[in-house]
Amino acid sequence: MVESFCYKIGIDYSMVTGHKKLLKAFVFCLIFVFVLTFVGFFYALTNSTESFILSLFISVFFTLIVFNIYRLVFSSSEGELNKYDTYKDVSFFILKRGLILILLSIAVAKSLGVLIFEKNIKYYLNNHKLSLIEDFNRTLELNRLKERQSIENEFQNKIRDDILFNKASETRTNIFFDEKEKKLIAIEEDIVFKNKIFKVKIDNTNFFITKVRLLSTEIPSSWFFTILIVSIFLLPIYMILVTPIFKDYDLNCEKISKKIILDDYEIFKKNYVALIKRVNND
């Protein structure tokens, strides 16, 4: 499996000399990163879109992006690994070529963080839901007061009109009063109904984006988890730059490349001389 994976990631396994355990650790680290990427994006997307198929395809897509980023980093570093000896050089290389990887790893860390710190987030999320319900109730209360005032004004206007046009009677007043009471009861019933609908929506909403925000703002310890995930994503690049396995691999590749160039050059010289003699004889 290690050999097959090496070729897929762009490493010529036949050029690796020794350090097999280190190579296995490198391969395991990459596979672990790909699993984290898939699980992180899949969890985020299923909670955001509630579509299994869409989440599956997009998660695979992002996993392939991460896979190809490592391929690009490795292929672009061949022949240069011996240049990165200082911490400054290594850091600059990682920041320059791994920026997208860092951003993706932060997204994965936040998604997995919501899963891991779910119990901690629940307390703050419940407070957030209560705040939304209170705001909604305040809005309903303001509307209720306006509607009640409007109904009361309508009732008073009818009474005044009856007095003005000499139509006033206890019977008509009672009719107007009953109409007013029915409208007021309807307002109260409508408020109760709207409250039930809003509560159902609150209960059925996942609030994933809100969870991510609460994770970042209310749970400081989650940032240590984020740093850990980012470090895991960058570890393979760090191993490529500083471990002896890839420096030796880079030297072996460089030797083979020079040999191929020199061999081709020798063949070219022989063919060139033979070609010149043939042209002169002709």
Side-chain angles (χ1 to χ4, degrees), residues 13 21 235:
Y13 186 79
K21 290 184 178 180
L235 181 59

Side-chain angles (χ1 to χ4, degrees), residues 13-259:
Y13 186 79
S14 63
M15 299 295 294
V16 178
T17 56
H19 309 291
K20 299 299 182 182
K21 290 184 178 180
L22 194 57
L23 182 62
K24 287 181 180 179
F26 172 76
V27 170
F28 173 79
C29 185
L30 280 176
I31 293 174
F32 186 57
V33 166
F34 299 147
V35 171
L36 287 178
T37 303
F38 178 81
V39 173
F41 278 103
F42 185 76
Y43 180 76
L45 291 165
T46 49
N47 281 279
S48 302
T49 65
E50 297 182 354
S51 172
F52 177 85
I53 300 299
L54 180 63
S55 301
L56 180 65
F57 278 107
I58 296 179
S59 300
V60 171
F61 172 74
F62 276 107
T63 304
L64 290 175
I65 288 178
V66 173
F67 177 83
N68 283 294
I69 288 174
Y70 284 115
R71 282 179 57 90
L72 176 63
V73 170
F74 188 82
S75 62
S76 63
S77 63
E78 286 186 4
E80 300 182 358
L81 295 183
N82 290 309
K83 297 179 181 178
Y84 304 105
D85 295 325
T86 66
Y87 176 79
K88 180 180 178 181
D89 293 335
V90 172
S91 301
F92 180 73
F93 179 92
I94 292 175
L95 289 175
K96 183 174 68 173
R97 305 190 189 185
L99 181 60
I100 296 177
L101 191 65
I102 293 173
L103 295 176
L104 290 174
S105 66
I106 292 174
V108 170
K110 292 305 178 184
S111 174
L112 295 176
V114 170
L115 178 62
I116 292 173
F117 294 93
E118 184 175 6
K119 290 183 179 179
N120 304 75
I121 295 172
K122 189 175 182 180
Y123 169 78
Y124 298 103
L125 183 62
N126 288 337
N127 289 340
H128 177 73
K129 289 180 178 180
L130 289 174
S131 176
L132 290 176
I133 292 173
E134 288 174 0
D135 290 341
F136 183 72
N137 285 334
R138 277 195 291 269
T139 302
L140 288 180
E141 182 63 21
L142 289 174
N143 291 335
R144 184 176 75 88
L145 291 174
K146 290 179 181 178
E147 291 178 1
R148 287 179 65 90
Q149 187 62 46
S150 176
I151 292 170
E152 185 64 33
N153 291 338
E154 182 183 9
F155 172 74
Q156 295 297 334
N157 288 335
K158 287 181 178 180
I159 298 297
R160 282 194 294 269
D161 289 343
D162 274 6
I163 294 174
L164 181 64
F165 295 105
N166 295 320
K167 295 181 180 180
S169 68
E170 185 178 350
T171 302
R172 287 178 64 84
T173 300
N174 289 335
I175 291 173
F176 295 152
F177 182 80
D178 289 341
E179 289 177 352
K180 182 184 77 168
E181 289 300 312
K182 288 179 180 179
K183 289 180 180 180
L184 292 176
I185 292 172
I187 290 174
E188 299 300 325
E189 290 176 346
D190 184 59
I191 288 175
V192 172
F193 176 74
K194 286 180 178 178
N195 267 317
K196 287 182 178 179
I197 294 297
F198 187 73
K199 190 175 185 306
V200 169
K201 289 182 178 180
I202 288 287
D203 292 337
N204 293 335
T205 302
N206 188 269
F207 288 101
F208 182 77
I209 302 300
T210 302
K211 288 178 181 179
V212 173
R213 179 178 60 80
L214 293 172
L215 177 73
S216 302
T217 57
E218 303 295 341
I219 307 175
S221 59
S222 67
W223 284 102
F224 292 103
F225 178 77
T226 300
I227 293 171
L228 174 63
I229 295 297
V230 173
S231 299
I232 292 173
F233 271 71
L234 295 180
L235 181 59
I237 300 178
Y238 183 81
M239 292 179 71
I240 288 173
L241 294 176
V242 302
T243 55
I245 176 175
F246 291 106
K247 291 199 173 185
D248 292 346
Y249 173 83
D250 202 47
L251 289 173
N252 291 335
C253 289
E254 186 178 2
K255 289 178 183 178
I256 294 296
S257 298
K258 287 181 179 179
K259 187 176 183 304

